[in-house]
Amino acid sequence: QVQLVESGGGVVQPGRSLRLSCATSGFTFSSYGMHWVRQAPGKGLEWVAVISNDGSNRYYADSVRGRFIISRDNSKNTLYLQMNSLRPEDTAVYYCAKDSTGRGEGYGDYWGQGTLVTVSS
Amino acid sequence: SYALTQPPSVSVPPGQTASITCSGDKLADKYVYWYQQKPGQSPVVVIYQDTKRPSGTPERFSGSNSGNTATLTISGTQAMDEADYYCQAWDSRTVVFGGGTKLTVL
C-alpha cells in the first residue's frame, strides 16, 4: 500500500533553516510528481510547492518562492523541502502528497500524516 | 493571483442534501478537485476532475462545475460526513485551495 512518512519538523528560530523529508513506499516514486502542502494551526490548506517526477519542473507558491527548495532523490524514494529564512508565519503542519500524474499537474491522491514546524524565538 | 472562495460553514440535517460551493473566475475552464479533512487527519480527495469519484468515495458524493462555480453535493448526508471540505484548482502552474468549508450535520 502507498505510504508517505514526513520527518524533520521541530522548533526553529526565525531566520534559521530546516529540511523536511518524505519517505515513500508502495508505488513507483520516479513516475509521479510530488507536492508539499501546509496547514497553519486552525487554518486551511496552503499549497507550497510541486516537483515533477524527474525533477525537471518545480513550481512554488509566492509566499515561499526564493526561500524554500523542493527536491527529490528517486534512488531513495524520498522527497525533500529545504526551508531557509524561516518566518513565524511558516509555522504549520507540512504534508507531502503524491500527485496523480507524472508531471505533477493533477491532485494529491495520497497524503502523509504531516510534520509540525514551529518557527519561534 | 487566482482565488477560490468557499462559504466558511454549511449545516445540514442528517439524510438531507448538502451543497458546498467554490467560486472563481471562469472556474469552468479548470478542473476542480475536492478534499475532505476530518479533525486530526490528513486530507482525502473525494472528487477529482470536477465530477469523478475515486474508488472508496461513496456514491452520495457528486461534483459539478459550470461558469464561475463548482459545487460539491452530498446526498443523504450522514454524520460521518461532518468534516472540512476544500476545493482545489490549478492556475498558472500553481495550486490554489479554497479557504475551506466546515460541514456540520445536525
Side-chain angles (χ1 to χ4, degrees), chain A residues 35 37 39 43-47 50 59-60 62 65 95 99 104-109 111-114, chain B residues 1 33 35 37 40-45 47-49 54 84 86 88 90 93-99:
Chain A
H35 299 264
V37 177
Q39 187 168 35
K43 302 298 184 181
L45 301 176
E46 180 186 14
W47 176 77
V50 64
Y59 303 111
Y60 298 90
D62 289 345
R65 187 177 294 115
Y95 296 100
D99 191 84
E105 297 175 344
Y107 64 96
D109 56 2
W111 295 61
Q113 83 291 348
Chain B
S1 59
Y33 308 90
Y35 298 89
Q37 186 181 32
Q41 297 184 18
S42 303
V44 174
V45 64
I47 294 289
Y48 67 100
Q49 290 181 355
D84 293 328
Y86 296 90
Q88 177 230 305
W90 281 86
R93 298 177 177 175
T94 62
V95 171
V96 181
F97 284 104

Side-chain angles (χ1 to χ4, degrees), chain B residues 63-75:
Chain B
S64 64
N65 186 10
S66 178
N68 294 325
T69 303
T71 303
L72 174 69
T73 302
I74 310 173
S75 304

Side-chain angles (χ1 to χ4, degrees), chain A residues 22-72:
Chain A
C22 172
T24 73
S25 61
F27 67 101
T28 304
F29 181 70
S30 59
S31 295
Y32 293 93
M34 296 292 296
H35 299 264
W36 287 101
V37 177
R38 67 185 182 184
Q39 187 168 35
K43 302 298 184 181
L45 301 176
E46 180 186 14
W47 176 77
V48 173
V50 64
I51 186 168
S52 59
N53 62 327
D54 61 0
S56 60
N57 293 300
R58 313 178 196 202
Y59 303 111
Y60 298 90
D62 289 345
S63 58
V64 307
R65 187 177 294 115
R67 299 188 299 125
F68 290 12
I69 300 172
I70 188 172
S71 63
R72 64 191 296 158

Side-chain angles (χ1 to χ4, degrees), chain B residues 41-60:
Chain B
Q41 297 184 18
S42 303
V44 174
V45 64
V46 292
I47 294 289
Y48 67 100
Q49 290 181 355
D50 296 340
T51 61
K52 299 177 181 178
R53 275 191 311 273
S55 60
T57 298
E59 290 186 8
R60 61 181 180 274

